[in-house]
Amino acid sequence: MLEVKDLEVRFGAVHAVRGVSFAVPEGPFGLGLVGESGSGKTTIGRAVMRLLPVHGGAITFEGTDVHDLGRRALKDYRRAVQVVFQDSDSTLDPRMRVAATLAEPLRAHRVVPKDAVGARIGELLSDVGLEPEHARRYPHSLSGGQRQRVAIARALAVEPRLVVLDEPTSALDVTVQARVLAMIRRLRDERRLAYILISHDLAVVEQLCEQIGVLYLGRLVEMGPTRELLGSPAHPYTIALRSAVPEVGVRERRRRIAIPGEPPDPASPPAGCAFHPRCPAAVDACRTTTPELRPVRSGHLVACHRAEDVMSGRAPIEPVPAAEQTAQR
């Protein structure tokens, strides 16, 4: 349905997204994009929504390049592909009641007849676990979880086929987050939705996605089926991210791998593999040659010179000492 091929996005001297490719089939299906802040996750989501210009590659929806769409075709695309941002406070108009917020896309896209708008608003509120009386409220009188449910209801109002979920639960407390995640899972199956879930939390992605793409400094460093990738990661960065996921009821808890330092300056990335200054398994080739994304198993891709050593346990995955890290830089 959606295909991203060799995507490039720049902001001046900063090369924010570098040659990223992936595909999203018809739903129900979830693709998770994970990585540290600055890895390019949100930039990719905004490029898919055509909220940012691209500087290379292509984004196609059902075979048509979305950046070549005319006015009418773009409106159809906006209906088929919706977005839910992280901060509902900044995406809901504080001067509009919930009913007006939900009625706006229904009328703009003529989803239902005018005399059916009220009934449809009631259905949308019910779908996201809100009561009819919430339709009369302003955003400031709702809790954070309720505001995010309204944002999700607004995205679903136009009956999209693909939704970009940009950190939809990161601003919520744990209890509310669990309820919103359960709601997303239910709606995905009921509506046969496909979505791109952007997150730094692998535990959330593990619950909701069939496939995961791991990003570092604008590049995909690993991609594959969720269960296989998290069960046997092939990149040291993915192992570090995976080790940070808390486990409940596990007899032998996974050892936490703390990767030292900060990501390099995206305007001046290091030569070779961008992760090598922080990588506990780096060798000389990592410092000079950029690894290409390649298969290590069926459907499991990784950009690491030592992927096979990492997967077999021959590569030591220990934090790089501070002095050695400085020398590598």
Side-chain angles (χ1 to χ4, degrees):
M1 180 172 59
L2 179 83
E3 184 175 6
V4 175
K5 184 70 173 175
D6 298 328
L7 182 65
E8 304 276 343
V9 181
R10 296 184 179 88
F11 300 103
V14 175
H15 203 160
V17 178
R18 300 166 176 262
V20 169
S21 299
F22 60 83
V24 181
E26 295 279 354
F29 181 86
L31 168 66
L33 296 180
V34 301
E36 294 171 294
S37 296
S39 62
K41 308 182 302 294
T42 293
T43 299
I44 292 170
R46 289 177 179 269
V48 167
M49 292 301 305
R50 241 187 77 160
L51 298 176
L52 290 174
V54 302
H55 298 86
I59 301 171
T60 58
F61 186 75
E62 296 185 327
T64 302
D65 192 320
V66 304
H67 285 83
D68 290 337
L69 297 176
R71 183 174 179 180
R72 178 170 294 182
L74 179 59
K75 184 176 181 180
D76 292 339
Y77 179 71
R78 298 277 194 224
R79 177 174 177 175
V81 183
Q82 283 285 302
V83 61
V84 177
F85 292 108
Q86 175 180 355
D87 184 9
S88 57
D89 289 346
S90 62
T91 58
L92 298 178
D93 191 329
R95 300 164 298 178
M96 294 174 66
R97 297 180 191 269
V98 169
T101 295
L102 298 182
E104 190 174 48
L106 292 173
R107 294 192 176 107
H109 290 277
R110 300 178 181 177
V111 178
V112 295
K114 290 181 180 179
D115 58 359
V117 168
R120 182 63 181 136
I121 289 171
E123 292 172 3
L124 288 167
L125 291 175
S126 177
D127 282 347
V128 297
L130 295 176
E131 301 297 327
E133 65 94 11
H134 288 111
R136 299 187 294 273
R137 295 193 187 182
Y138 288 97
H140 72 267
S141 66
L142 301 174
S143 69
Q146 289 171 337
R147 287 193 294 273
Q148 194 63 297
R149 287 169 183 262
V150 171
I152 293 171
R154 181 177 59 184
L156 297 178
V158 295
E159 301 172 355
R161 296 166 56 199
L162 173 69
V163 180
V164 177
L165 299 167
D166 189 359
E167 300 274 13
T169 61
S170 63
L172 307 177
D173 64 55
V174 175
T175 304
V176 176
Q177 182 180 102
R179 289 200 292 264
V180 172
L181 291 176
M183 178 195 70
I184 292 172
R185 190 181 304 111
R186 172 178 58 81
L187 291 172
R188 148 217 163 104
D189 293 333
E190 290 177 356
R191 292 171 172 259
R192 303 191 63 79
L193 282 174
Y195 50 73
I196 299 171
L197 175 59
I198 295 166
S199 181
H200 65 278
D201 189 339
L202 272 175
V204 170
V205 175
E206 186 174 13
Q207 293 182 53
L208 295 176
C209 297
E210 281 79 14
Q211 191 170 35
I212 294 179
V214 182
L215 290 152
Y216 187 79
L217 211 69
R219 291 186 187 274
L220 272 174
V221 297
E222 191 163 7
M223 174 167 268
T226 299
R227 182 173 298 180
E228 180 178 309
L229 187 147
L230 296 183
S232 182
H235 198 286
Y237 180 59
T238 308
I239 291 176
L241 294 179
R242 182 70 179 94
S243 74
V245 177
E247 297 178 293
V248 178
V250 177
R251 187 170 297 175
E252 294 185 9
R253 297 194 175 186
R254 185 182 293 109
R255 182 170 54 94
R256 176 72 184 270
I257 307 296
I259 298 295
E262 299 292 333
D265 180 358
S268 181
C273 173
F275 186 60
H276 86 257
R278 307 171 69 195
C279 183
V283 293
D284 288 344
C286 306
R287 301 179 180 94
T288 58
T289 307
T290 302
E292 298 294 330
L293 204 61
R294 59 187 175 87
V296 287
R297 292 195 188 98
S298 178
H300 187 171
L301 308 175
V302 65
C304 178
H305 295 303
R306 302 199 66 193
E308 288 77 12
D309 291 339
V310 169
M311 296 174 74
S312 67
R314 294 193 300 270
I317 307 300
E318 299 288 347
V320 179
E324 183 180 338
Q325 180 198 3
T326 301
Q328 287 179 354
R329 289 180 186 279

